[in-house]
Amino acid sequence: MTEQQTALLEVTNLTVDYDSTRALTSLDLSLQQGQLLCLLGPSGCGKSTLLRAIAGFQDVAAGRIVLAGQLLSGAGINLAPEHRQIGMVFQDIALFPHLTVRANIAFGLHQWSADDAQRRVEYLLSMVGLAGFGERYPHELSGGQQQRVALARAIAPKCNLLLLDEPFSGLDAALREALVPEVAALLKREGITAILVSHDQKEAFAFADQIAVMHHGEIEQLSSAYEIYHKPASRFVADFVGEGDFIAGQVVDSHQITCILGNISNGKLDFETGCKVDVFVRPDDILHDDGSPIKGHIVSKRFRGTHFLYRIELASGEQVACFTDSHHDHDIGEDIGIKLNMEHLLAFRS
């Protein structure tokens, strides 16, 4: 079977307008049963608009949205959100404050028998690590516990698709770092297909099988976290995901580029000889080496516990970032030796 035949969610040629502003442009997206996808991008890129269109909260100007073989939007059809078999977890959590944890989770199970609903709620309480918390009220829970209850409530009716609209953004960094992979593992155990909206790269990497990097209402790249980081499809993706700087370079031959940091050889290049390019250099591509003939001037430093992140100004006036072990404590204004250690050459036409 082809991917299209087995896809749970198919978004085809989707276009969304806000009055005279185009929010999404001819967007295509396919999601398999059990996959976890993250829509990643800066504010205003269209990721929340896409989520709202899939959920049924946003009208579409053109294109189709099909879920589990059912047309949700397109060809004059716009199925109401409550009929789409889609669960949602929002940024503000939105638990009912007057209902217990157990009653919050059971809210969407009114069509189930009392016994089946009770079994489902108890199972979900155990699954999200809140067994014994059923009679508490939302205000008696921590932020992370509230988020678990919201998740359990959303998946209780056994929806076809779960949508998560930046649900972790209100949590502190340490809790978010612990909770995100925990939620991803929970969804995997349940076989739930889910889409997370985020602007946080670490969150996307910890959650998703596939990441769709969005920019100006389009998907610039859809692939794994590894591919997006090491093989970005565009200058925007390279610059947005992770840290790095562009420095001027020139193509020497079909396998080599030269720049102020030296010559870089890494596979066959898709540029003609003599072509001017911008080489994208990440902090882990630069090594601190006192014996190197290439010197740089420290213009800033950030201590990160296990390491320092230095910004180094080169003789050309260009800057690059450099990681060093935390015992390499240099002062701003100091000159240090650096060398290139690039395993993945990223270059874009100037």
Side-chain angles (χ1 to χ4, degrees):
M1 288 187 174
T2 67
E3 180 177 323
Q4 280 213 332
Q5 288 174 316
T6 59
L8 176 73
L9 174 70
E10 295 177 273
V11 178
T12 309
N13 198 34
L14 190 69
T15 299
V16 173
D17 296 330
Y18 290 127
D19 296 325
S20 58
T21 302
R22 179 139 292 178
L24 298 176
T25 305
S26 301
L27 186 144
D28 293 328
L29 177 67
S30 180
L31 189 61
Q32 304 299 310
Q33 175 70 47
Q35 274 193 325
L36 304 181
L37 171 73
C38 180
L39 303 178
L40 178 67
S43 297
C45 70
K47 56 188 186 294
S48 289
T49 298
L50 175 55
L51 203 76
R52 287 174 54 82
I54 294 170
F57 299 130
Q58 176 64 53
D59 291 337
V60 305
R64 291 162 48 92
I65 301 172
V66 177
L67 179 64
Q70 181 181 19
L71 180 63
L72 305 183
S73 298
I77 293 173
N78 186 30
L79 203 63
E82 61 269 23
H83 298 309
R84 293 191 174 210
Q85 289 291 301
I86 291 175
M88 286 205 70
V89 181
F90 297 96
Q91 182 176 337
D92 60 2
I93 302 178
L95 296 176
F96 299 111
H98 62 291
L99 297 181
T100 64
V101 167
R102 182 174 281 107
N104 263 283
I105 297 174
F107 184 79
L109 302 178
H110 52 274
Q111 293 183 336
W112 293 43
S113 72
D115 287 345
D116 286 345
Q118 182 179 351
R119 280 192 292 270
R120 179 67 171 161
V121 170
E122 295 307 318
Y123 166 73
L124 290 171
L125 281 170
S126 175
M127 188 178 70
V128 299
L130 293 175
F133 285 72
E135 294 309 311
R136 295 195 188 186
Y137 287 86
H139 72 272
E140 299 177 296
L141 305 178
S142 69
Q145 289 170 334
Q146 290 181 23
Q147 199 57 268
R148 288 182 178 93
V149 174
L151 179 67
R153 183 181 63 181
I155 66 178
K158 297 187 177 179
C159 54
N160 285 324
L161 178 66
L162 180 66
L163 305 179
L164 304 105
D165 192 3
E166 301 199 57
F168 310 109
S169 60
L171 304 178
D172 64 71
L175 178 57
R176 188 166 62 244
E177 188 169 343
L179 187 59
V180 172
E182 181 183 315
V183 168
L186 185 153
L187 296 176
K188 282 292 187 183
R189 286 198 302 271
E190 280 287 284
I192 292 171
T193 309
I195 301 176
L196 169 71
V197 163
S198 181
H199 60 269
D200 186 306
Q201 300 159 30
K202 290 181 180 178
E203 189 173 289
F205 288 3
F207 178 85
D209 302 314
Q210 296 281 292
I211 297 173
V213 181
M214 295 188 64
H215 185 46
H216 293 326
E218 298 180 352
I219 294 177
E220 293 255 339
Q221 186 171 357
L222 173 59
S223 54
S224 68
Y226 183 91
E227 289 284 318
I228 282 172
Y229 186 85
H230 289 295
K231 299 177 182 178
S234 69
R235 180 188 293 262
F236 170 79
V237 174
D239 199 27
F240 182 75
V241 177
E243 300 178 77
D245 299 276
F246 290 100
I247 60 173
Q250 188 168 9
V251 177
V252 177
D253 54 39
S254 60
H255 291 82
Q256 190 171 207
I257 288 175
T258 187
C259 66
I260 192 170
L261 295 171
N263 287 359
I264 312 167
S265 299
N266 195 327
K268 189 168 179 6
L269 301 173
D270 293 325
F271 304 105
E272 63 274 14
T273 298
C275 176
K276 294 186 182 301
V277 295
D278 292 324
V279 179
F280 191 67
V281 182
R282 298 195 187 276
D284 46 316
D285 293 325
I286 305 292
L287 297 181
H288 173 28
D289 180 4
D290 289 326
S292 172
I294 302 172
K295 304 297 180 183
H297 189 70
I298 299 174
V299 295
S300 72
K301 62 186 286 190
R302 280 186 269 167
F303 181 60
R304 294 188 172 180
T306 59
H307 62 273
F308 282 102
L309 176 64
Y310 291 106
R311 284 206 67 77
I312 310 293
E313 185 173 293
L314 305 173
S316 62
E318 297 168 305
Q319 292 186 5
V320 294
C322 172
F323 289 135
T324 69
D325 294 335
S326 59
H327 60 274
H328 289 290
D329 187 5
H330 298 280
D331 295 325
I332 293 175
E334 188 177 339
D335 289 338
I336 62 172
I338 58 173
K339 68 178 182 180
L340 195 62
N341 183 41
M342 182 177 286
E343 294 187 11
H344 297 273
L345 172 58
L346 302 177
F348 301 89
R349 194 178 297 273
S350 298

